Amino acid sequence: VFASSSIASAGLLVPPGIQPGQQYRLAFVTRGTTNATSTDIATYNTFVTTQAGLAPGLNATTWKAIGSTSTVSARDNTGTNPFNPTHVSVPIYLLNGSQLVTGNADLWDGTLLTQIALDQFSVIKTGEVWTGSDQFGQSFLSRYLGSTVSVPVARVGYSIGTPVRSAWIDAGNQTTSNPYPMY
């Protein structure tokens, strides 16, 4: 889940070293779960925004799912596509202030500085997470969220997947009707 800032003015966490007016993003894994049967990215964005709203102070902004459908990639949905000049590259932090990555290219280079294993209440949440994405934040071929292939499965990541591999976003497949959290 991502939100970008001017959120400092909305009363959300301001990570250490962030100066007034400096932009940044926050990420967490949802405590609640959903299935991956919808083909519409708005369904997942609504889910993560609702999840954020359960925690004090996180309902002040709109959140985006780090997820891919057949038509929208995670990196485009979150505005973190390093090849799109309109996507501003800013550092991304967890809700406890730990830095996740330095910017967009760093998010999709296969190495995170830490795991995305904290939920919206800053409690460790381990396990599989819906992504529908490959390691580069693109829709995984026929394994995206809302996949309707003969056996509907989608890609999952693992919230405590080692940060030096892409297991956080690209670790395996699960049946889309199963309930899992999202980033």
Side-chain angles (χ1 to χ4, degrees), residues 66-133:
I66 305 174
S68 299
T69 63
S70 65
T71 58
V72 179
S73 72
R75 65 189 193 179
D76 287 326
N77 186 51
T78 57
T80 59
N81 186 336
F83 303 106
N84 185 328
T86 66
H87 291 185
V88 178
S89 183
V90 298
I92 302 169
Y93 296 86
L94 299 181
L95 297 180
N96 67 358
S98 298
Q99 189 169 21
L100 180 66
V101 294
T102 59
N104 296 349
D106 193 24
L107 180 62
W108 305 116
D109 71 359
T111 302
L112 302 178
L113 298 172
T114 190
Q115 303 160 331
I116 309 176
L118 292 178
D119 70 12
Q120 67 267 39
F121 303 100
S122 293
V123 174
I124 293 176
K125 174 119 177 146
T126 62
E128 293 172 311
V129 179
W130 286 124
T131 69
S133 306

Side-chain angles (χ1 to χ4, degrees), residues 115-164:
Q115 303 160 331
I116 309 176
L118 292 178
D119 70 12
Q120 67 267 39
F121 303 100
S122 293
V123 174
I124 293 176
K125 174 119 177 146
T126 62
E128 293 172 311
V129 179
W130 286 124
T131 69
S133 306
D134 67 14
Q135 65 184 6
F136 305 109
Q138 298 174 336
S139 300
F140 198 96
L141 182 63
S142 75
R143 300 290 187 253
Y144 42 80
L145 304 174
S147 175
T148 56
V149 295
S150 60
V151 177
V153 296
R155 212 64 184 150
V156 293
Y158 198 68
S159 65
I160 59 167
T162 178
V164 295

Side-chain angles (χ1 to χ4, degrees), residues 3 7-8 10-13 26 52-61 63 95 120-121:
I7 52 182
L12 294 178
L13 166 81
L26 295 172
L54 299 174
L58 296 185
N59 61 350
T61 190
W63 296 79
L95 297 180
Q120 67 267 39
F121 303 100

